[in-house]
């Protein structure tokens, strides 16, 4: 009897050990998390460092790295230094797929951060299959609202306010401020444009002339056909919701033709620095144009975040002119640092994503609009403020007291928000 | 020493060549009574299995006890002038390779290392897995009888032969010790039929509605119909290849409204067909990232984003559409009726994110929508329910890994892209999860614990990142040999022998080789990668499940 009991006891003990062993195999130890060591965490980013979209966008990743260098110089996050591997995707989806695979397989990065471009992010998601592999892709540099679909993009966290939000807010603005005027729209004929059209439809704004162009075909020659149509239709207000090269082409050709409508530019296509560096069009042509942004203007040194990031740029990104792209890169870096901090010392990919869902809406960052992350929302920033360009390409608030509007990417209302942006944390480091 | 090795190698080569060039089947040979001869240190036998399949057995006199059973891939039921000869389809081929020289090199290597090699030409061509499985089972018995000192059998095969290899491992795991499916069809033939069928139907709808595409007649009339279809496909693709720059539509594109043809270039329809069918976006000569001229220029970007996807699709489509004709006709013949059915297929869903990713190649959303409208309005293919039921009763995989299995595939190859193996990976993962749950339950119940060991290793054959070159006229050079990692089963001899060595290691130990061992062999071969975390895009057949 004793023997039998002992045998049963041993068997039971073995079973417990074996079951425990099986259970343990499904919970990876800290050391087994890709890209994470006791004192470092490795991240990867794909951006156009060369190629047609490099002017402007090539500044984003080095700026993010500069902020990480600053963080590392101040002890890192939770005792870990942040390494950023930058890969040049030349703004080509296939190149982005190749480079992202390398980041995951060769460099063993913990997460992808700040990947740039709607098409590139779509290609990365479907061809590299980030969701199936459980690889987080944080704070993508695109405003395509579709990335907030958690079911379809389970590991992607958008950051930018969506194009749909922008179009809805600006649609309302047009209705209120240009009633009775003939309104025209130039829009990109892809998901970027679809998002905008969705937002315009939600606002109820009507366009008297809509011109669609295919990304990659914009040039002074095609812009001339746009201008001819707009002139023929007697359009007084033109909303160009496209990329910077389209903006430059349209503005340049219109100026030559003596056509001077009230221009309104989408936030993507109106970066003055990019127009200055990538085109031959004088920035002064933007003077008086209306646009929208969720970030403070890079020239606004009265903004504490801008002032701080300028200091970081001067020390850790030497020789690089501070502009909106640098600001976006550093702000993305700050968001990543926030997320790593919130995820805690025991860093896992699942834990990182859970931390953004639970605490992301309170992260400190430079944007002037609230964040909306939650367990049921992957939406990042949720609104825009409206401004007017001056002759030097700075976007200044259109109203004396800057008003920030928030909304969603669907049919929700546009409201003026009273939410205060979190103050810059001490030393600009996540708390 | 070197001279000796060289002499042996020459002898082996000659012997292998002799076996590989077996065409005349000895009329006196019966099942289990092979005719054998020893030449140059190699014992070579030939004969017929009970179902009439020609077979060849070869082992060196210093046979090390491990033999490789090779299953060749799909061989068409009909002769296609200039492409392959049905007369050759009855040949026993001893080793994998994209051409005869590589096959000889691989077989020669194995023999020189003391391994045995054996195979059959199978009793019939076409999609023959159901009968080939029986042939292989019998052939293993014949081999073991002839070479009783055999200790281990490694089954390997390419394409359809990879499908057979996995089927053999699932259904007769007691007969083999390791499996090495190469560029395999995974899951069921219906998955391959869907990709090829969608491509074929797309070509028919957009570029030549007189292509039959299904419902082929029996006998000689059917052969004529297939060859006619293949000729029409070739003509359409040739016309389209010459019109990438202009966007002109072939004169045979009579089902596309004139307004659509005026607004949308033909290259966009080509890209759409490729993407909706799930063809890779890179091909033999198009890497998807290289363009002509200054990389920072607009023309460079316009080529890469606008023209390259169409050119790559045209290169891949040739294989896919011709396979579509052959497979549709073959499976219709086997199952007694039409088997391809796209009555419920939503090609917009299948196009998915490609609409945004290849937006310039598709000429924008509006153009893509116009093309999708043409597809929506076009008559669909309807399968015969009884034939479809029979098709689905044919041998298929369960995704069970019974023996150490090392699969090799190129994620972006033209005919059996990585989605086939991804299906196997996913099925294996699901089975392992079930096994773990069962193991926990068994342990708690005091019962023997079932195995929860992963026995599947997948080796990926990636193409180089960049390989597109341009002529002096600035056009992509499509005359160069296909880059490794593109086309179908386009492996080098070094890659194939590395796979054989990894398979032999697995057979010897009864488990997967450790990754360090595998990596050493892969590094020597080049172009191979063992990335546990890589995920290939699923085929549309599985993605829609």
């Amino acid at each position: 009897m004793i023997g039998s009991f002992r045998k049963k006891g041993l068997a039971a003990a073995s079973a417990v050990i074996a079951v425990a062993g099986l259970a343990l195999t499904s919970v990876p130890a800290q050391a087994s998390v890709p890209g994470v060591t006791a004192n470092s965490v490795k991240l990867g980013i794909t951006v156009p460092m060369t190629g047609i979209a490099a002017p402007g966008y090539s500044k984003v990743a080095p700026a993010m790295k500069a902020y990480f260098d600053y963080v590392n110089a101040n002890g890192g996050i939770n005792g870990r230094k942040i390494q950023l591997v930058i890969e040049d995707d030349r703004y080509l989806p296939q190149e982005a797929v190749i480079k992202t695979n390398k980041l995951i397989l060769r460099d063993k990065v913990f997460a992808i951060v700040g990947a740039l471009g709607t098409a590139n992010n779509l290609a990365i998601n479907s061809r590299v299959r980030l969701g199936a592999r459980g690889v987080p892709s944080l704070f993508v540099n695109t405003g395509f609202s579709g990335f907030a679909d958690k079911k379809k993009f389970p590991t992607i966290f958008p950051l930018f306010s969506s194009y749909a939000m922008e179009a809805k807010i600006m649609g309302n603005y047009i209705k209120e401020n240009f009633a009775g005027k003939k309104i025209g729209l130039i829009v990109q004929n892809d998901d970027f444009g679809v998002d905008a059209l969705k937002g315009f439809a939600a606002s109820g704004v009507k366009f008297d002339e809509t011109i669609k162009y295919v990304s990659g075909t914009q040039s002074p020659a095609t812009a001339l056909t746009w201008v001819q149509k707009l002139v023929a239709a007697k359009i007084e207000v033109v909303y160009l919701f496209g990329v910077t090269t389209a903006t430059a082409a349209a503005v340049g050709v219109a100026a030559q033709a003596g056509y001077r409508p009230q221009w309104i530019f989408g936030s993507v296509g109106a970066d003055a620095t990019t127009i200055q560096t990538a085109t031959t069009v004088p920035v002064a042509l933007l003077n008086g144009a209306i646009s929208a942004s969720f970030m403070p203007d890079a020239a606004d040194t009265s903004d504490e975040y801008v002032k701080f990031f300028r200091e970081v740029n001067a020390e850790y990104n030497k020789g690089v002119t501070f502009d909106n792209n640098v600001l976006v890169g550093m702000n993305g870096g700050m968001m990543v640092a926030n997320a790593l901090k919130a995820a805690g010392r025991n860093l896992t990919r699942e834990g990182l994503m859970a931390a953004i869902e639970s605490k992301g809406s309170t992260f400190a960052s430079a944007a002037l609009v609230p964040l909306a992350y939650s367990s049921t929302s992957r939406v990042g920033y949720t609104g825009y403020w409206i401004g007017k360009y001056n002759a030097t390409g700075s976007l200044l608030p259109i109203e004396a007291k800057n008003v920030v509007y928030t909304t969603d990417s669907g049919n929700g209302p546009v409201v003026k928000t009273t939410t205060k942006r979190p103050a810059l944390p001490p030393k600009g480091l996540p708390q | 020493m070197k001279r000796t090795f060289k002499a042996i190698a020459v002898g082996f080569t000659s012997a292998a060549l002799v076996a590989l060039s077996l065409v005349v089947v000895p009329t006196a040979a019966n099942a289990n009574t092979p005719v054998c001869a020893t030449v140059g240190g190699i014992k070579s036998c030939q004969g017929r299995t009970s179902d009439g399949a020609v077979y060849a057995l070869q082992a060196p006199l210093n046979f090390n006890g491990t033999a490789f059973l090779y299953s060749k891939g799909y061989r068409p039921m009909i002769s296609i002038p200039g492409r392959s000869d049905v007369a050759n389809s009855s040949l026993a081929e001893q080793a994998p390779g994209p051409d005869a020289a590589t096959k000889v090199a691989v077989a020669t290597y194995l023999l020189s290392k003391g391994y045995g090699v054996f195979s059959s030409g199978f009793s019939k061509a076409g999609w023959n897995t159901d009968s080939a499985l029986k042939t292989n089972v019998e052939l293993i018995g014949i081999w073991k009888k002839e070479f009783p000192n055999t200790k281990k059998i490694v089954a390997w095969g390419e394409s359809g032969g990879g499908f057979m290899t996995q089927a053999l491992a699932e259904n007769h795991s007691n007969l083999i010790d390791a499996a090495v499916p190469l560029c395999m069809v995974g899951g069921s033939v219906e998955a391959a039929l869907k990709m090829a069928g969608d491509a074929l139907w797309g070509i028919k709808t957009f570029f030549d509605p007189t292509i039959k595409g299904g419902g082929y007649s029996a006998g000689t009339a059917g052969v004529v119909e297939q060859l006619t279809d293949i000729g029409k496909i070739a003509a359409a693709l040739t016309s389209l290849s010459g019109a990438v720059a202009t966007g002109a539509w072939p004169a045979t594109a009579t089902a596309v409204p004139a307004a659509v043809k005026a607004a949308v270039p033909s290259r966009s329809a080509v890209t759409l067909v490729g993407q909706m069918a799930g063809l890779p976006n890179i091909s033999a000569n198009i890497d998807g990232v290289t363009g002509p001229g200054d990389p920072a220029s607009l023309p460079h970007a316009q080529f890469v984003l606008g023209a390259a996807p169409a050119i790559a699709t045209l290169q891949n489509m040739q294989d896919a559409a011709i396979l579509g004709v052959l497979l549709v006709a073959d499976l219709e013949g086997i199952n007694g009726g039409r088997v391809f059915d796209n009555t419920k297929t939503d090609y917009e869903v299948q196009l998915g994110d490609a609409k945004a990713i290849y937006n310039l190649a598709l000429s924008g959303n509006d153009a893509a929508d116009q093309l999708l409208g043409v597809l929506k309005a076009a008559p669909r293919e309807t399968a015969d329910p009884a034939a479809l039921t029979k098709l689905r009763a044919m041998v298929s995989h369960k995704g069970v890994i019974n023996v150490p299995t090392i699969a090799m595939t190129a994620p972006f190859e033209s005919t059996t892209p990585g989605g086939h193996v991804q299906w196997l990976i996913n099925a294996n993962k699901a089975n392992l999860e079930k096994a773990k749950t069962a193991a926990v339950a068994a342990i708690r119940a005091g019962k023997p614990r079932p195995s929860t060991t992963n026995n599947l290793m997948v080796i990926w054959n990636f193409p180089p990142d960049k390989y597109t070159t341009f002529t002096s006229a600035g056009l992509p050079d499509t005359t160069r040999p296909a880059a490794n990692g593109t086309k179908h089963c386009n492996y080098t001899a070094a890659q194939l022998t590395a796979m054989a060595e990894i398979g032999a290691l697995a057979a010897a130990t009864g488990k997967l080789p450790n990754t360090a061992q595998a990596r050493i062999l892969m590094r020597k071969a080049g172009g191979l990668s063992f990335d546990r975390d890589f995920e290939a895009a699923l085929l549309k057949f599985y993605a829609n499940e």
Side-chain angles (χ1 to χ4, degrees):
Chain A
M1 185 67 184
I2 290 173
S4 167
F5 174 79
R6 275 190 71 187
K7 262 187 175 172
K8 276 186 182 169
L10 276 174
S14 305
V16 169
I17 291 165
V19 170
L22 279 171
L24 278 174
T25 56
S26 63
V27 183
Q30 181 64 78
S32 69
V33 178
V36 178
T37 69
N39 52 21
S40 70
V41 55
K42 191 188 282 187
L43 308 170
I45 183 170
T46 57
V47 280
M49 297 300 291
T50 63
I52 194 162
Y57 289 157
S58 63
K59 290 175 128 182
V60 172
M64 181 182 276
K65 185 176 181 304
Y67 175 74
F68 290 154
D69 290 344
Y70 167 79
V71 169
N72 292 342
N74 284 275
I77 300 291
N78 296 327
R80 292 190 177 92
K81 302 287 173 69
I82 305 172
Q83 299 170 15
L84 181 66
V85 184
I86 300 171
E87 286 288 353
D88 178 11
D89 65 20
R90 299 192 295 136
Y91 214 44
L92 303 174
Q94 176 64 13
E95 188 102 25
V97 167
I98 291 170
K99 296 295 172 60
T100 306
N101 263 323
K102 283 190 172 158
L103 287 171
I104 296 169
L105 301 173
R106 181 196 61 193
D107 299 307
K108 310 282 183 199
V109 298
F110 174 61
I112 305 296
V113 294
L116 195 148
T118 303
N120 284 16
N121 272 292
L122 286 169
I124 290 168
N125 188 71
S126 61
R127 269 61 175 175
V128 183
R129 294 171 56 78
L130 294 176
R133 295 157 82 160
V135 180
S137 179
L138 306 186
F139 313 132
V140 291
N141 275 308
T142 161
F144 174 54
S145 65
F147 288 125
D149 181 347
K150 184 177 174 181
K151 193 175 171 197
K152 189 173 178 190
F153 305 104
T155 61
I156 290 185
F157 284 81
L159 178 61
F160 293 1
S161 301
S162 75
Y163 306 132
M165 292 175 191
E166 179 178 353
K168 197 200 303 182
I169 290 168
M170 294 305 289
N172 275 5
Y173 179 83
I174 290 168
K175 283 199 305 179
E176 288 170 9
N177 293 276
F178 296 108
K181 302 264 187 189
K182 295 198 86 173
I183 316 290
L185 173 68
I186 302 170
V187 65
Q188 202 160 288
N189 195 356
D190 57 10
D191 279 3
F192 171 36
V194 167
D195 232 23
L197 292 173
K198 190 171 76 171
F200 287 130
S203 75
V205 68
K206 303 285 183 207
F207 293 101
D208 299 288
E209 179 75 43
T210 297
I211 298 166
K212 292 181 179 177
Y213 75 92
V214 179
S215 176
T217 62
Q218 66 273 24
S219 67
T222 48
L224 183 59
T225 66
W226 306 341
V227 168
Q228 286 167 343
K229 278 185 189 169
L230 294 167
V231 169
K234 297 187 169 56
I235 299 298
E236 300 161 277
V237 178
V238 180
Y239 200 136
L240 199 157
F241 209 100
V243 293
T244 309
T245 45
T247 302
V251 170
V253 167
Q256 282 178 347
Y259 175 56
R260 302 188 191 286
Q262 171 62 56
W263 288 104
I264 304 176
F265 299 126
S267 58
V268 169
D271 179 59
T273 321
T274 307
I275 287 178
Q276 204 159 27
T277 53
T279 75
T280 55
V281 174
V283 167
L285 287 180
L286 297 183
N287 193 15
I290 295 167
S291 190
S293 178
F294 48 86
M295 296 292 285
D297 189 78
D300 183 4
T301 50
S302 69
D303 184 288
E304 61 176 341
Y305 281 87
V306 172
K307 185 168 174 286
F308 165 70
F309 284 136
R310 280 180 170 270
E311 288 164 5
V312 173
N313 190 61
E315 190 171 351
Y316 293 91
N317 205 18
K318 289 188 194 302
V320 176
T321 305
F322 191 89
D323 60 16
N324 289 327
N325 290 301
V326 174
L327 177 60
V328 162
M330 290 201 177
N331 188 60
M334 181 177 272
M335 285 296 292
V336 171
N338 280 322
L340 291 170
K341 182 76 179 176
R345 174 73 189 159
N346 186 23
L347 199 52
T348 64
R349 285 169 167 170
E350 295 81 3
L352 178 73
M353 292 188 282
I356 300 170
E357 286 187 344
S358 64
K359 300 172 189 166
S361 64
T362 64
F363 287 171
S365 76
L368 297 164
V369 301
L371 288 158
Y373 298 122
S374 74
S375 60
T376 56
S377 167
R378 286 290 172 86
V379 177
Y381 296 135
T382 52
Y384 285 84
W385 57 274
I386 302 171
K388 191 174 264 191
Y389 280 98
N390 66 15
T392 60
S394 284
L395 188 67
L396 305 175
I398 206 161
E399 292 163 275
K401 187 173 184 299
N402 198 7
V403 177
V404 174
Y405 299 91
T406 61
T407 189
D408 60 14
S409 299
N411 290 315
V414 174
V415 294
K416 291 180 182 178
T417 181
T418 53
T419 308
K420 292 272 184 205
R421 178 179 70 176
L424 181 73
K427 296 179 73 177
L429 298 169
Q431 301 301 300
Chain B
M1 188 66 183
K2 271 185 181 172
R3 271 185 68 185
T4 312
F5 175 78
K6 199 173 173 186
I8 291 171
V10 170
F12 282 144
T13 304
S14 306
L17 276 171
V18 168
L20 286 163
S21 61
L22 282 174
V23 178
V24 181
V25 181
T27 50
N30 296 312
N32 299 321
T33 56
V35 176
C36 298
T38 301
V39 179
I42 304 291
K43 180 180 175 183
S44 299
C45 307
Q46 54 183 302
R48 284 183 187 273
T49 56
S50 59
D51 61 3
V54 175
Y55 66 77
L57 323 173
Q58 286 183 293
L61 295 179
N62 62 342
F63 175 44
N64 64 17
T66 297
F68 284 81
L69 165 63
Y70 171 64
S71 296
K72 65 183 181 181
Y74 185 84
R75 298 292 182 267
M77 295 287 283
I78 63 171
S79 295
I80 306 168
R83 285 183 69 91
S84 59
D85 187 349
V86 72
N88 288 338
S89 68
S90 61
L91 280 177
E93 299 170 20
Q94 293 289 64
D99 48 51
T102 307
K103 285 173 176 288
V104 169
V106 173
T108 302
Y109 172 87
L110 292 175
L111 291 167
S112 75
K113 294 289 182 184
Y115 296 114
V117 293
F118 64 114
S119 67
S120 88
F122 301 120
S123 58
K124 60 177 183 178
W127 189 259
N128 56 7
T129 307
D130 293 55
S131 65
L133 201 54
K134 293 172 191 156
T135 307
N136 273 344
V137 168
E138 183 182 343
L139 190 56
I140 291 171
I142 294 170
W143 172 272
K144 285 184 173 172
K145 192 173 175 187
E146 192 62 38
F147 298 96
N149 56 340
T150 300
K151 297 185 190 78
K152 303 289 179 189
I153 301 277
V154 179
W156 66 340
E158 286 168 301
S159 190
F163 183 92
M164 287 175 212
T165 301
Q166 174 61 20
L168 186 65
E170 287 192 5
N171 295 293
H172 302 280
S173 58
N174 58 319
L175 296 180
I176 62 173
D177 300 284
V180 183
L182 308 166
C183 43
M184 69 185 288
V185 174
S188 77
V189 68
E190 209 177 346
L193 175 68
K194 174 160 177 60
M195 188 179 95
D198 282 343
L200 175 59
W201 183 79
I203 291 173
K204 171 183 172 172
T205 303
F206 280 126
F207 307 122
D208 189 348
T210 68
I211 291 171
K212 196 167 170 63
Y216 293 105
S217 306
T220 308
V223 172
V224 171
E225 288 165 0
Q226 290 173 60
L227 290 174
T228 304
D229 271 2
I230 289 168
K232 287 177 178 176
I233 290 165
L237 296 185
T238 301
S239 168
L240 290 162
S241 296
V244 169
T246 64
W249 288 71
T252 49
T254 53
V256 180
V260 174
K261 287 192 277 192
V264 185
S266 59
R267 63 174 175 273
S268 296
V270 168
T271 303
L272 186 132
V273 171
Q275 291 302 312
M276 77 185 196
L279 300 184
N281 61 316
I282 62 172
S283 64
N285 305 110
I286 300 295
D287 59 26
V289 295
T290 307
D294 177 7
S297 67
L298 187 61
H300 181 281
Q302 285 175 332
F303 173 83
V304 175
L305 296 171
I311 301 170
T313 303
L314 284 166
Q315 288 200 316
N316 291 328
M317 204 183 257
Q318 187 165 332
D319 291 346
I322 290 175
L323 177 68
V325 171
L326 299 170
L327 204 53
V328 166
D330 185 9
L331 292 171
E332 284 180 350
I334 293 169
N335 297 295
R338 285 177 177 264
V339 289
F340 178 68
D341 193 312
N342 65 355
T343 49
K344 290 179 183 156
T345 304
D346 186 334
Y347 286 111
E348 186 167 10
V349 169
Q350 286 195 189
L351 183 62
D353 289 342
K355 191 172 172 182
I357 297 167
Y358 300 102
N359 196 261
L360 180 57
L362 292 168
S363 301
N365 277 12
D366 290 355
D369 289 343
Q370 282 182 281
L371 295 172
L372 287 167
V374 173
L375 296 184
K376 274 186 187 147
R380 298 295 177 104
E381 300 287 335
T382 307
D384 169 27
L388 205 51
T389 301
K390 280 181 74 179
L391 174 82
R392 289 173 179 165
M394 294 175 81
V395 169
S396 61
H397 297 155
K398 299 178 188 71
V400 176
I401 304 296
N402 290 328
V403 297
T405 300
I406 305 100
M408 174 165 72
T409 202
F412 310 110
E413 77 130 83
S414 59
T415 308
T416 52
H420 283 278
V421 164
Q422 192 61 50
W423 174 86
L424 185 62
I425 293 169
N426 293 352
N428 180 50
K429 271 185 192 164
N431 287 331
L432 284 175
E433 284 306 314
K434 280 185 204 161
K436 280 180 186 169
T437 305
V440 170
I443 292 163
R444 285 191 173 134
K447 292 179 180 170
R449 175 186 154 178
S451 170
T452 56
T453 305
N454 173 42
N455 259 331
L456 174 65
M457 172 186 261
V458 175
I459 292 172
W460 302 99
N461 172 213
F462 287 100
D465 289 350
K466 293 179 182 176
Y467 53 85
T468 302
T469 57
F470 293 86
T471 65
S472 55
L475 300 170
D477 187 352
T478 53
T479 62
R480 291 168 63 89
N484 182 237
T486 67
K487 290 287 284 179
H488 184 40
C489 305
N490 184 27
Y491 305 123
T492 65
Q495 289 167 340
L496 291 165
T497 53
M499 289 302 294
E501 294 285 14
I502 293 169
L505 271 171
T509 60
K511 58 184 183 184
L512 293 175
N514 67 47
T515 52
Q517 287 173 309
R519 281 185 206 282
I520 289 168
L521 289 162
M522 285 189 289
R523 200 171 298 129
K524 277 169 69 178
L528 301 181
S529 167
F530 167 62
D531 291 309
R532 196 178 275 116
D533 295 331
F534 179 75
E535 291 250 354
L538 277 173
L539 298 172
K540 300 296 182 187
F541 181 76
Y542 296 119
N544 290 338
E545 277 185 341

